[in-house]
Amino acid sequence: NSSFQYLQTSRIEPNVLYALNDESINDDNLGIRGEFTAHYLAEKRHQPLSISALKHPNAQTDQLLENVSLWLSEISKDIEVSTKVYSELQKVNLTYKYTYKENTTNEYTPLNVGYGLTYVLPIIVAILKSKPDDLIIIENPESHLHPKGQSKIAELCAIASQNGVQIIIETHSDHFLNSIRVATKKKS
């Protein structure tokens, strides 16, 4: 029952609409560029996390979309991800909005938020959808992220690894590597 996910360095770029691919979603695959991530979130947003340790500390549920938004909020505070499928166009729309106390912004397309958010989204989804014995290979998870964001992605990878997910990372980030070292030290 294990699965394999590879995310190359050149991941999806900000856009208004993304492709649908039922076959990839049914195979639990986000595509090598993460190009089916928005579709995956649209279809599996209520799917419970297989690894309870990956549940974000502020999450009310173990549902995928809520936890994706909360982990992404570690990179861009108080962000919420949403998706909408347009079957007639064979496309899916990905948007972000922010909540500050009782105020919520309008929805923004990936073109109107930081590049790194959309670039890291497939990584967060790949990790949160994983199960023990899954294999995830990620090239440059630190790309387009602030050092704090790089550290949070490393923390998420460490939690998954500690719970049986095999993760192979190619990175040049000292922040990422140092966060892995800290997570390893805390575990011992």
Side-chain angles (χ1 to χ4, degrees), residues 56-138:
H56 189 276
N58 297 334
Q60 301 295 312
T61 71
D62 64 351
Q63 294 181 0
L64 179 64
L65 185 59
E66 177 190 11
N67 282 278
V68 167
S69 290
L70 288 169
W71 280 105
L72 195 59
S73 285
E74 297 288 342
I75 295 167
S76 184
K77 191 166 174 51
D78 298 320
I79 196 168
E80 185 179 330
V81 180
S82 61
T83 56
K84 183 176 180 182
V85 172
Y86 293 98
S87 300
E88 65 280 0
L89 299 174
Q90 288 295 292
K91 298 286 183 184
V92 62
N93 177 248
L94 173 67
T95 58
Y96 303 102
K97 64 182 174 182
Y98 291 89
T99 302
Y100 302 102
K101 297 181 183 175
E102 63 278 341
N103 299 317
T104 302
T105 66
N106 293 328
E107 291 185 340
Y108 297 107
T109 69
L111 296 169
N112 300 106
V113 297
Y115 191 87
L117 293 175
T118 303
Y119 215 68
V120 77
L121 186 63
I123 295 170
I124 294 172
V125 174
I127 294 168
L128 292 181
K129 76 176 187 63
S130 66
K131 304 176 296 300
D133 297 326
D134 281 1
L135 173 62
I136 303 173
I137 300 173
I138 306 169

